Amino acid sequence: MNDEIEMNSGRQPVVAIKNGDVLANSRDVASYFAKNHRDVLRDIDNLIASEPTLGLRNFAHTPYIEAQNGQTYRSYDMDRKGFAVIAMGFTGAKALKWKLAYIDAFDAMEAELRARPAIDPIQVLNDPTAMRGLLLTYSEKVLALEADKAAAAPKIAALERIAEADGSLCITDSAKTLQVRPTELFKFLRHHSWIYRRPGTDHDVAYQSKLVVGLLEHKTTTVHRSDGSEKITTQVRITPKGLTRLAQELPPALRVA
């Protein structure tokens, strides 16, 4: 995670208040520090793999839809601590200056949040306009929660199936468990740097980064040919941990109805 970078001074730190928390998104952080978003996601994934509590407290998986192609991609919302941890690996002549600028943005937004007046329930009850605005706000939150619940339903079902899985699965069987077409799962795994194929070979190989964190594994099998010779084959298999990660990251559009 110790990457030398050239700072992008043409942008400003971006933080936002979401549900009462001040957060920065990995896409904005990548843009601000002139890094490839895929590299920032890799760094965050490695951090969470090493210290899972970070994924519960400081990094929230936040998928987004790319307007240009309508596809769903990954990103993370991170709080101040999450940003501080991921930014430790950002180096360069101006790295410290720009990290401090981001911390200042967190400070400013947190100060604004603290300065917001508390809601006086008696005043709201006596003010029809304020009451209407408050009810609209809560209605919007309820609708958002219902939408989140509906979106999460396929993932919950997939996680329940994964919990019953015994050992690792080949990619085709994993696709059945995740309820996606095998061709789409292969395409997703290649596009998101889970597997690749060496030139001149006819089988897929797992990226070392996915092997190290236990998402994938290789299974070696010896095949006895009719002529008495033997052939050793290697198959990529997805572990229960990998299936759980995929159930969270696969776009809903890939799921078989």
Side-chain angles (χ1 to χ4, degrees):
M1 193 176 68
N2 190 20
D3 299 320
E4 186 75 16
I5 60 173
E6 179 182 351
M7 310 314 300
N8 185 351
S9 59
R11 296 186 179 275
Q12 296 297 319
V14 178
V15 297
I17 297 175
K18 296 183 179 181
N19 298 321
D21 296 316
V22 179
L23 305 171
N25 187 267
S26 56
R27 298 171 64 199
D28 295 321
V29 170
S31 176
Y32 179 70
F33 285 94
K35 289 176 65 69
N36 190 308
H37 186 227
R38 183 187 301 177
D39 294 334
V40 175
L41 290 178
R42 176 204 63 204
D43 292 345
I44 296 174
D45 288 339
N46 290 338
L47 282 171
I48 294 175
S50 300
E51 185 54 59
T53 57
L54 288 172
L56 298 175
R57 300 176 181 175
N58 309 110
F59 294 97
H61 185 237
T62 311
Y64 70 96
I65 298 175
E66 178 58 57
Q68 293 183 349
N69 58 21
Q71 295 294 313
T72 302
Y73 296 98
R74 295 198 303 136
S75 74
Y76 284 98
D77 280 340
M78 63 192 83
D79 62 9
R80 176 198 288 268
K81 182 177 180 180
F83 169 78
V85 173
I86 198 68
M88 286 180 183
F90 297 167
T91 62
K94 298 181 180 179
L96 178 59
K97 173 183 177 182
W98 294 97
K99 291 178 196 177
L100 292 175
Y102 233 107
I103 294 298
D104 287 343
F106 270 99
D107 288 340
M109 191 63 74
E110 288 169 355
E112 177 184 328
L113 186 60
R114 289 192 298 270
R116 291 183 177 181
I119 297 176
D120 183 347
I122 301 301
Q123 182 179 356
V124 171
L125 289 173
N126 293 326
D127 185 342
T129 301
M131 174 64 78
R132 184 166 56 252
L134 188 61
L135 289 174
L136 286 173
T137 298
Y138 279 108
S139 296
E140 291 171 354
K141 289 183 177 180
V142 170
L143 290 174
L145 287 172
E146 290 178 348
D148 289 343
K149 182 179 178 181
K155 293 182 180 180
I156 293 172
L159 290 173
E160 289 176 347
R161 291 192 299 274
I162 290 167
E164 300 173 355
D166 182 17
S168 61
L169 299 174
C170 69
I171 295 177
T172 300
D173 288 341
S174 296
K176 295 177 182 177
T177 299
L178 295 166
Q179 293 190 329
V180 299
R181 295 181 178 85
T183 55
E184 294 296 336
L185 182 56
F186 274 101
K187 186 186 302 183
F188 180 91
L189 295 175
R190 293 192 180 102
H191 180 73
H192 292 82
S193 300
W194 284 59
I195 62 174
Y196 67 99
R197 184 167 293 186
R198 294 192 180 103
T201 64
D202 60 355
H203 62 275
D204 293 296
V205 180
Y207 275 96
Q208 186 64 25
S209 61
K210 299 300 187 291
L211 291 171
V212 169
V213 298
L215 301 178
L216 298 175
E217 65 180 17
H218 284 145
K219 180 180 180 181
T220 302
T221 304
T222 301
V223 178
H224 298 279
R225 295 169 170 168
S226 58
D227 60 1
S229 63
E230 296 181 346
K231 177 183 178 181
I232 298 177
T233 62
T234 301
Q235 182 188 55
V236 177
R237 297 178 69 86
I238 302 176
T239 66
K241 182 178 179 181
L243 287 169
T244 303
R245 176 73 65 84
L246 288 170
Q248 296 170 339
E249 296 182 359
L250 284 170
L254 297 183
R255 312 228 176 243
V256 178

